[in-house]
Amino acid sequence: MSPTAASPQQKPDERGSSVIDFPFILVFFFLLLWGVFNFGFIFVIQSMMTTAAEDGARAALRYQPANNSNAAIAARANAATQTAQQVASVLSGLAPISVTVNPSSCSYNNNLTCFNVQVTFPYGQ
């Protein structure tokens, strides 16, 4: 055997080093993988909540038959709440979802009614 050829007997102090290094790399890999999935889950929830709020706001803009303007505003707010809850119902199995619709006069024209649709999801639960 030539002196340049490596054999396991020449370096006994390095045998088994991969067995010791593997758990450290495995833990780091799983932490990284968990972080990717967790942040991906957060972004999916945020996207679904944004879609629910947008669809609820669109539902508030649709005509609702009513006898007076206060009843029409209440009917539009109810339609916005129901639509937002329906869109966000996919997440309701994970945690309770809260939908709040606040009608108020618009800042740019007091004769109009604006609707603020807010969808909340308690991610910590």
Side-chain angles (χ1 to χ4, degrees):
M1 186 184 296
S2 69
T4 59
S7 68
Q9 290 81 16
Q10 287 181 343
K11 296 184 181 182
D13 57 336
E14 291 185 12
R15 294 186 71 198
S17 65
S18 60
V19 174
I20 294 172
D21 293 342
F22 179 73
F24 294 114
I25 294 171
L26 186 68
V27 168
F28 176 72
F29 174 73
F30 278 121
L31 285 174
L32 183 67
L33 190 64
W34 176 81
V36 167
F37 283 129
N38 201 21
F39 281 110
F41 186 64
I42 290 170
F43 289 131
V44 167
I45 289 174
Q46 181 183 7
S47 175
M48 292 179 78
M49 289 180 9
T50 301
T51 301
E54 288 172 351
D55 288 352
R58 284 188 195 97
L61 295 175
R62 287 194 293 265
Y63 171 77
Q64 299 292 329
N67 296 333
N68 58 29
S69 64
N70 289 336
I73 290 171
R76 291 168 66 190
N78 187 29
T81 302
Q82 288 178 352
T83 302
Q85 286 176 342
Q86 182 181 8
V87 172
S89 66
V90 175
L91 298 173
S92 63
L94 301 173
I97 293 173
S98 172
V99 177
T100 306
V101 179
N102 295 323
S104 62
S105 60
C106 296
S107 60
Y108 53 88
N109 188 345
N110 290 333
N111 295 326
L112 299 176
T113 302
C114 289
F115 291 88
N116 181 13
V117 180
Q118 184 178 12
V119 181
T120 58
F121 177 81
Y123 181 73
Q125 294 180 0

